[in-house]
Amino acid sequence: MSPKAGPRFAARRRGLWAVPLDRPDHVRLDNVPWFARNAAEGDVFRVERDEEGVLRPVERVEWSGNCTIRMIVWAAGPFGGDLGRVLDHFAPFGLEGEQFGQFGMVGFTVPPGADLAEAKRALDAGRADGSWAYEEGCVSEEWLAAGL
């Protein structure tokens, strides 16, 4: 995985990539937030620089409407740990993803127009058959209600 261009935006110990906006203290997240909760690609944050010059989040000022789903793909599961196959599996539902091969992880940005019910069914089926474990890093009310 090669990072997208933009300044580094620190969220806890792992960084995110962000695009500067017109206001000098605002950035838009430009990748899947791998280790940050309640954040999604496209969200706008107000930031401050710390003593080392790293941007630190102060508050989210605009939610993109995207959701974030992260998963660990099990090597012993039906997908054999193949992260690319997992990304391809979810593409028909409108999910866009990135691989973090070092940790066997896939992170998805789930846009508002995605097929939420089918995506949730596929996530749950993969968890049940031992393909992966997943977590909901940032979800909407629509995500929570989908597939009920």
Side-chain angles (χ1 to χ4, degrees):
M1 175 187 90
S2 61
K4 297 180 180 181
R8 193 163 174 81
F9 170 70
R12 299 185 190 215
R13 289 181 198 70
R14 297 287 178 180
L16 300 169
W17 294 96
V19 174
L21 300 177
D22 291 339
R23 293 186 58 179
D25 62 343
H26 283 65
V27 298
R28 182 179 316 278
L29 294 186
D30 198 29
N31 73 325
V32 172
W34 292 100
F35 301 102
R37 293 209 169 272
N38 300 317
E41 184 173 2
D43 288 358
V44 175
F45 281 83
R46 185 168 63 83
V47 295
E48 292 178 346
R49 288 199 185 275
D50 68 12
E51 59 280 350
E52 297 172 1
V54 176
L55 296 176
R56 301 279 176 192
V58 175
E59 65 179 324
R60 180 169 61 178
V61 296
E62 181 183 325
W63 178 48
S64 62
N66 293 326
C67 298
T68 301
I69 305 298
R70 295 180 285 258
M71 64 172 54
I72 295 177
V73 180
W74 306 124
F79 283 79
D82 186 332
L83 304 181
R85 280 185 56 210
V86 173
L87 290 171
D88 292 344
H89 184 71
F90 284 91
F93 310 126
L95 278 65
E96 302 166 7
E98 297 180 33
Q99 301 178 41
F100 199 163
Q102 178 182 359
F103 296 109
M105 292 177 67
V106 171
F108 288 104
T109 295
V110 184
D115 187 340
L116 303 181
E118 287 302 314
K120 286 179 79 170
R121 277 194 267 289
L123 282 166
D124 290 339
R127 180 172 52 198
D129 73 11
S131 294
W132 50 69
Y134 76 91
E135 71 172 352
E136 300 168 330
C138 178
V139 296
S140 63
E141 293 296 322
E142 293 79 13
W143 175 267
L144 295 171
L148 296 178

